[in-house]
Amino acid sequence: MSMLADPSRKYRAFQPIALADRQWPSNTITEVPIWCSSDLRDGNQSLIEPMDPAKKLRFFQTLVKVGLKQIEVAFPSASQTDFDFVRTLIEGNHIPDDVTIQVLTQAREDLIRRTFESLRGAKRAIVHVYNATAPSFRRIVFNQDKAGVVEIAVNAARLIRDLAAEQPDTDWQFQYSPEIFSSTELDFAVEVCDAVLDVWQPTPERKVILNLPATVEVSTPNIYADQIEWFCRHISRRDSVLISLHTHNDRGTGVAATELGLLAGADRVEGCLFGNGERTGNVDLVTLALNMYTQGLHPGLDFSDIDAVRKVVEECNQLPVHPRHPYVGDLVHTAFSGSHQDAIRKGFAQQNPEGIWEVPYLPIDPADIGRSYEAVIRVNSQSGKGGITFLLEQEYGISLPRRLQIEFSQVVQSETDRLGLELSALQIHQLLDREYLQLKSPYQLVGHRLQEENGTSAVDLQVQTDEGAEHWQGIGKGPLEALVASLPIRVEIMDYHEHSIGSGTNARAAAYIELRLQGQRPLHGIGIDENITTASFRALFSALNRALRIADSQAA
């Protein structure tokens, strides 16, 4: 089957909104919205392998550290795992006093009751209820007319009101979503929401959240903005309502739709870090927040160490962040084009540290989000990165991870600057060997013993130090965690890669570790050995010695 010559036979253009006096095109975002992360609910349900409780707790703690004050943590009536996670947060006192957890439920009595059971003892909670309102869902999925849809929403609102009254020690806030709002007739969306408000009776002091999701993105962002502005004009009790946006990215314009929705009067945004979510994803909270930051408006979220946040998200979601992802991708601050490199170099040379940021091609100062200047200050070094990588792979079977390619290219560039000559594959390999594989001070791994039992690893290391021979011992969930536990210095492993070199009986293992000492930028180490565990240990010692060498040079 191929694309249709006339797609209008199968698809209809979304009709524009009759809003001749629209105000949003002339507005500017001057106030930060209320942020709500849906990573642990909407994001989690979209994963091939959903997060286990330990990963969800780690992710929750990261969201709190970033500064999220509202976090949708689960769909507790959907599974025992989600129910138990809500209980873990409450009973384990993991929720700071200024953070409100949010849970989602369909507008069904049994699910709503189960949801309230999960929240017993919570200090603050948002109960988020939804039912589908779009014509296609009314007709195809639920076989309901408009009156039936309104009745479902109203009955759910009454039950939520009554169950909340039975738990007066919790500070409750209610949220209603007319699911598929983006495809719902606007007058009907207002009708349903007004009916819910009549039950909940919000006030300016006790506001209700009306969440207007682009559950499926069906139009250009300007039409979504028109929908939001029209809704804000026609909903009753506007001063007692928070209008919330929850956009998906089916057309690739979730960020734009959300920004225009804020211009149209919305107060709140739900989304995920780096845009994870069903199908093409939820709106990316990081991009939204940093877009505001680059316009001079602090978003109230802290991404000063964007790489650490990305590390948690990648490990918990088991999904990589694309190297071209705005702000956080490995390549977004790197120029390969010669003209771009020249403009960036001149921009840095003329940039006033106390003035307005005006470096060409860089909308944000990488230092503000904890990124290194290396990839942009020494931009000429990036031009040779591809060639360096190709030669090492072709001649020696060494495949460097992306960030190590960038780091090692700086070493190669320094050597070419010193020699004023082109380096051969042999010279590049010798430089790699000297910089990473032969660095054996202040710590040299002489040997190790590894014992593994019931998922626990214990290591006993023989180490030659500048002071003499030592034994280090550590225990962890795996060999590397045990090794890190044995070190006399606190370190954090930021990334790990491994691959084989060659095949058959002559095969060797190559391991690459990105390690960070407290207060320093991450650095890489390389280990090569017949045994993969030994290779990974050698890689860690390589990274550790390089980091300590730089720390000593900075202290001198």
Side-chain angles (χ1 to χ4, degrees), residues 257 433 453 473 530 534:
D433 185 78
E453 185 175 353
Q473 295 178 330
E530 288 79 9
T534 303

Side-chain angles (χ1 to χ4, degrees), residues 22-213:
R22 60 182 57 84
Q23 301 299 306
W24 65 261
S26 301
N27 292 340
T28 302
I29 298 176
T30 57
E31 295 185 6
V32 175
I34 299 167
W35 302 106
C36 178
S37 162
S38 56
D39 288 273
L40 299 177
R41 198 278 304 169
D42 206 340
N44 187 56
Q45 75 182 34
S46 71
L47 300 177
I48 297 173
E49 182 179 331
M51 288 179 271
D52 60 26
K55 286 181 178 177
K56 289 192 77 171
L57 182 57
R58 182 185 178 201
F59 207 131
F60 177 82
Q61 291 167 340
T62 297
L63 293 170
V64 169
K65 185 176 180 180
V66 163
L68 272 300
K69 301 303 180 186
Q70 294 186 2
I71 303 172
E72 190 168 66
V73 296
F75 197 146
S77 62
S79 71
Q80 188 64 44
T81 300
D82 268 21
F83 185 96
D84 291 343
F85 181 67
V86 178
R87 298 311 308 158
T88 294
L89 290 177
I90 296 170
E91 294 171 5
N93 294 317
H94 295 294
I95 309 169
D97 289 342
D98 62 346
V99 171
T100 303
I101 59 170
Q102 176 174 305
V103 294
L104 183 70
T105 179
Q106 292 173 308
R108 283 174 41 189
E109 179 177 354
D110 57 330
L111 303 183
I112 293 171
R113 290 186 181 279
R114 178 70 169 164
T115 298
F116 272 87
E117 288 177 21
S118 75
L119 291 169
R120 287 196 177 277
K123 295 178 182 178
R124 302 154 60 97
I126 298 170
V127 178
H128 179 189
V129 65
Y130 72 96
N131 65 311
T133 56
S136 59
F137 277 72
R138 298 196 306 259
R139 184 181 69 256
I140 299 171
V141 181
F142 299 111
N143 192 28
Q144 286 277 358
D145 58 11
K146 289 183 177 180
V149 170
V150 173
E151 183 180 7
I152 290 171
V154 168
N155 288 340
R158 288 176 180 145
L159 181 59
I160 288 170
R161 177 198 62 194
D162 295 342
L163 292 176
E166 296 174 5
Q167 298 184 44
D169 292 337
T170 299
D171 183 3
W172 297 104
Q173 187 169 27
F174 303 150
Q175 175 172 329
Y176 173 69
S177 288
E179 193 193 11
I180 329 292
F181 166 81
S182 49
S183 301
T184 300
E185 309 95 321
L186 285 174
D187 57 350
F188 182 57
V190 167
E191 178 185 343
V192 176
C193 290
D194 271 342
V196 170
L197 295 181
D198 286 343
V199 174
W200 284 342
Q201 293 291 310
T203 66
E205 295 73 34
R206 301 287 295 179
K207 294 184 179 183
V208 158
I209 302 168
L210 293 179
N211 191 52
L212 307 179

Side-chain angles (χ1 to χ4, degrees), residues 241-314:
V241 168
L242 295 172
I243 301 298
S244 179
L245 308 177
H246 183 117
T247 61
H248 283 249
N249 205 40
D250 300 270
R251 293 171 55 93
T253 56
V255 168
T258 301
E259 290 181 327
L260 298 191
L262 290 172
L263 295 177
D267 310 294
R268 182 178 184 267
V269 171
E270 293 186 350
C272 293
L273 301 186
F274 311 123
N276 180 44
E278 290 282 18
R279 305 181 315 278
T280 54
N282 289 256
V283 71
D284 176 5
L285 294 186
V286 177
T287 298
L288 276 171
L290 292 179
N291 282 355
M292 292 181 188
Y293 183 84
T294 62
Q295 300 299 299
L297 180 64
H298 198 292
L301 301 178
D302 185 4
F303 294 114
S304 298
D305 192 351
I306 195 74
D307 286 332
V309 175
R310 181 185 66 178
K311 178 175 181 282
V312 171
V313 173
E314 287 183 328

Side-chain angles (χ1 to χ4, degrees), residues 260-538:
L260 298 191
L262 290 172
L263 295 177
D267 310 294
R268 182 178 184 267
V269 171
E270 293 186 350
C272 293
L273 301 186
F274 311 123
N276 180 44
E278 290 282 18
R279 305 181 315 278
T280 54
N282 289 256
V283 71
D284 176 5
L285 294 186
V286 177
T287 298
L288 276 171
L290 292 179
N291 282 355
M292 292 181 188
Y293 183 84
T294 62
Q295 300 299 299
L297 180 64
H298 198 292
L301 301 178
D302 185 4
F303 294 114
S304 298
D305 192 351
I306 195 74
D307 286 332
V309 175
R310 181 185 66 178
K311 178 175 181 282
V312 171
V313 173
E314 287 183 328
E315 291 179 356
C316 290
N317 287 344
Q318 299 185 64
L319 293 173
V321 173
H322 195 280
R324 299 291 183 189
H325 195 100
Y327 300 110
V328 72
D330 285 339
L331 300 179
V332 296
H333 301 136
T334 302
F336 295 97
S337 162
S339 60
H340 288 204
Q341 294 171 356
D342 183 62
I344 291 172
R345 186 188 311 109
K346 291 176 180 177
F348 270 103
Q350 299 176 24
Q351 177 63 36
N352 178 359
E354 303 300 324
I356 296 296
W357 180 254
E358 292 184 304
V359 177
Y361 298 111
L362 294 178
I364 194 171
D365 183 350
D368 288 358
I369 51 176
R371 305 299 293 270
S372 169
Y373 282 142
E374 293 181 21
V376 289
I377 293 177
R378 298 292 302 269
V379 289
N380 281 340
S381 66
Q382 300 307 293
S383 299
K385 176 170 62 64
I388 294 167
T389 303
F390 177 81
L391 289 173
L392 288 173
E393 288 179 346
Q394 294 297 310
E395 299 295 330
Y396 299 98
I398 295 174
S399 180
L400 303 181
R402 175 68 64 178
R403 288 195 288 275
L404 179 50
Q405 293 175 25
I406 296 170
E407 180 183 287
F408 182 54
S409 69
Q410 309 298 318
V411 178
V412 174
Q413 182 64 51
S414 296
E415 187 71 356
T416 56
D417 287 346
R418 184 181 70 84
L419 296 175
L421 299 171
E422 181 180 358
L423 294 183
S424 67
L426 174 61
Q427 289 172 310
I428 291 172
H429 185 264
Q430 289 172 339
L431 192 58
L432 186 84
D433 185 78
R434 185 181 73 200
E435 178 70 20
Y436 294 91
L437 299 172
Q438 298 304 320
L439 194 59
K440 298 179 179 179
S441 178
Y443 302 122
Q444 178 183 355
L445 178 63
V446 177
H448 74 272
R449 288 190 302 169
L450 173 64
Q451 292 182 320
E452 295 184 288
E453 185 175 353
N454 297 327
T456 299
S457 299
V459 295
D460 187 340
L461 307 174
Q462 300 172 24
V463 181
Q464 184 66 39
T465 75
D466 292 344
E467 305 299 325
E470 295 183 5
H471 273 274
W472 297 352
Q473 295 178 330
I475 296 175
K477 293 180 181 178
L480 274 179
E481 185 174 310
L483 175 57
V484 169
S486 77
L487 299 178
I489 299 170
R490 184 178 178 183
V491 302
E492 181 181 12
I493 294 178
M494 304 298 291
D495 203 6
Y496 176 81
H497 292 267
E498 64 184 43
H499 66 81
S500 62
I501 301 175
S503 59
T505 58
N506 294 323
R508 293 181 298 163
Y512 310 93
I513 283 180
E514 186 180 28
L515 176 144
R516 182 169 69 175
L517 295 184
Q518 190 169 10
Q520 288 196 20
R521 63 182 175 86
L523 287 171
H524 288 83
I526 303 176
I528 297 176
D529 195 89
E530 288 79 9
N531 180 277
I532 184 57
T533 300
T534 303
S536 65
F537 283 14
R538 294 191 185 283

